[in-house]
Amino acid sequence: DVYKRQSDMLWCFGHLLRLRGTLPESAVFRGLELRDLVHEDIYRRLGFRCAVRGLMNYRFAMALGRAGVQPALIIDWFENHPMDRGWNAGFNRSFGDTPRFGYTGFFPAGMSYRPTSAEKRAGVLPPRFLLIGEGFSQDMAEFLPDIRYRTAPAFRYPLWPRDTMEGHIATSTQTLDILVAMPYYEKMCQTVLEVVSYLQAHRPDWRFVIKAHPAMPLSRFAEAEPLLAGGAVETDDSLDTWLPRCVAMVTGSQASTILESAALGIPAVIVHRTGSEAEVSIPRVMPAELVRVCHNGKDALDALDALTSNRSSGDSTSSALGFEFQRRCFTPVTQETVAAMLAA
């Protein structure tokens, strides 16, 4: 707020007027005329709030430059949103000689999170990126083949010692607990619960431990009542508590949850509706032995039988795969790795 001026705010909110002055006469993409769609998008002010935030970040960076501030290092928590683009455009212009990075502290599951060559040409990307593991570099380079990056600590993800990962198999096979990590979206929750109901009916020896999303309590779903009556349990404990105690996990298209299970070598079944394949994004480095994508209960049952067969016999293959996945995708948080991240 110290560096903001009233003129900056007025300039940001004048974005819509300036945008309407640049309406294209034609917008052809792969032979399709999209002019009317583009005009509708602009006149309905879709994304206007996000655009203003990005522009405010741009003006903030410009104001710091005018004030003579000299940062030693600039790091953007990079999700490739409009606010990131405004931030990077401003700091690229005002602080071209200062080291600038985009820290991607998560797996970029959606295509919109991944930088593109067009954005690089527009000057709205940082010069270099900080990835939490080199295993995610292929996904980040999908639309930016010449991406420059180095690894940085995975602050958001817990890491487990290898002896813990190998030792939890024997205890988890005694009860055949299946963790159900509920997604955020209501329809996806209903789909997951329907699949779990099928599984419970066909595998009464499995116990389902249901972890609801904080924004979507289990009490909202009538499908949960017969599950709980049939022996399933609901937990408020963290995923870290239950993951090492389960032989498998069932979830929706939640990339973060899938990463944590894979890092422990715990196989996961991703449930999603037919036709919504674009909602599911799995890292290219993810071992195929640790994940299956399923559309219905029968698919999920077959997948779980296949995924858990080795684990139930004490085979440590999945834990070895998980340890390698963790090594490639999650840089430990140590004094050395933090110091390397902050080194210009």
Side-chain angles (χ1 to χ4, degrees), residues 15-47:
H15 167 68
L16 187 60
L17 296 177
R18 294 192 299 272
L19 195 61
R20 289 183 176 182
T22 61
L23 291 174
E25 295 183 2
S26 178
V28 179
F29 179 74
R30 294 184 178 180
L32 297 176
E33 176 57 71
L34 303 179
R35 174 183 177 277
D36 292 341
L37 185 63
V38 172
H39 285 202
E40 180 183 1
D41 182 280
I42 293 174
Y43 279 109
R44 290 180 60 188
R45 300 194 298 274
L46 298 178

Side-chain angles (χ1 to χ4, degrees), residues 127-131 133-135 137-138 147-151:
R128 289 180 288 177
F129 290 87
L130 299 169
L131 308 184
E134 56 86 17
S137 60
Q138 294 183 54
I147 186 173
R148 299 172 61 198
Y149 74 93
R150 68 188 192 203
T151 57

Side-chain angles (χ1 to χ4, degrees), residues 53-343:
R53 290 178 178 175
L55 293 170
M56 290 178 68
N57 280 344
Y58 173 81
R59 297 291 278 202
F60 169 69
M62 302 296 286
L64 288 182
R66 290 195 304 268
V69 177
Q70 293 296 327
L73 177 67
I74 298 170
I75 298 178
D76 169 38
W77 176 280
F78 183 82
E79 298 187 14
N80 209 17
H81 294 319
M83 63 184 67
D84 296 300
R85 299 184 191 117
W87 172 282
N88 291 308
F91 280 101
N92 286 344
R93 176 170 294 188
S94 297
F95 298 93
D97 296 329
T98 303
R100 304 177 308 285
F101 294 90
Y103 175 74
T104 305
F106 57 97
F107 166 58
M111 289 191 295
S112 63
Y113 291 120
R114 302 172 188 179
T116 69
S117 298
E119 290 164 341
K120 179 181 178 179
R121 292 193 299 270
V124 296
L125 295 180
R128 289 180 288 177
F129 290 87
L130 299 169
L131 308 184
I132 59 176
E134 56 86 17
F136 297 139
S137 60
Q138 294 183 54
D139 301 282
M140 282 291 284
E142 182 176 5
F143 309 116
L144 185 62
D146 59 342
I147 186 173
R148 299 172 61 198
Y149 74 93
R150 68 188 192 203
T151 57
F155 293 108
R156 290 183 59 184
Y157 295 94
L159 302 179
W160 296 270
R162 184 165 189 166
D163 56 350
T164 300
M165 296 168 62
E166 294 176 343
H168 82 270
I169 294 177
T171 57
S172 65
T173 56
Q174 295 175 3
T175 58
L176 288 177
D177 285 339
I178 308 292
L179 178 64
V180 181
M182 298 293 288
Y184 171 75
Y185 298 104
E186 183 173 1
K187 289 185 178 180
M188 181 57 68
C189 286
Q190 293 171 339
T191 302
V192 171
L193 290 174
E194 290 169 2
V195 167
V196 174
S197 297
Y198 182 95
L199 296 174
Q200 187 183 63
H202 289 79
R203 290 292 186 272
D205 55 321
W206 292 355
R207 183 176 70 158
F208 296 92
V209 181
I210 305 175
K211 167 67 176 175
H213 192 282
M216 197 64 61
L218 202 60
S219 57
R220 292 186 55 169
F221 302 96
E223 297 90 342
E225 296 180 8
L227 281 173
L228 297 174
V233 296
E234 182 181 8
T235 181
D236 292 326
D237 295 333
S238 66
L239 289 176
D240 301 347
T241 301
W242 275 102
L243 270 174
R245 297 159 60 181
C246 294
V247 297
M249 182 181 71
V250 177
T251 187
S253 52
Q254 294 173 285
S256 179
T257 304
I258 299 164
L259 297 183
E260 292 183 41
S261 67
L264 265 178
I266 296 174
V269 166
I270 305 173
V271 177
H272 72 101
R273 294 167 285 113
T274 302
S276 60
E277 286 78 5
E279 298 175 5
V280 181
S281 184
I282 300 172
R284 300 185 186 187
V285 73
M286 174 78 75
E289 297 87 344
L290 293 179
V291 65
R292 294 287 192 280
V293 178
C294 301
H295 301 279
N296 53 54
K298 178 64 167 59
D299 288 347
L301 180 60
D302 294 341
L304 284 172
D305 282 339
L307 290 169
T308 60
S309 59
N310 291 335
R311 292 177 57 79
S312 59
S313 62
D315 190 340
S316 61
T317 301
S318 59
S319 284
L321 290 170
F323 183 80
E324 178 62 14
F325 177 78
Q326 181 179 147
R327 185 192 68 80
R328 294 190 63 187
C329 296
F330 302 107
T331 302
V333 181
T334 66
Q335 288 185 343
E336 292 77 13
T337 58
V338 173
M341 172 182 176
L342 298 178

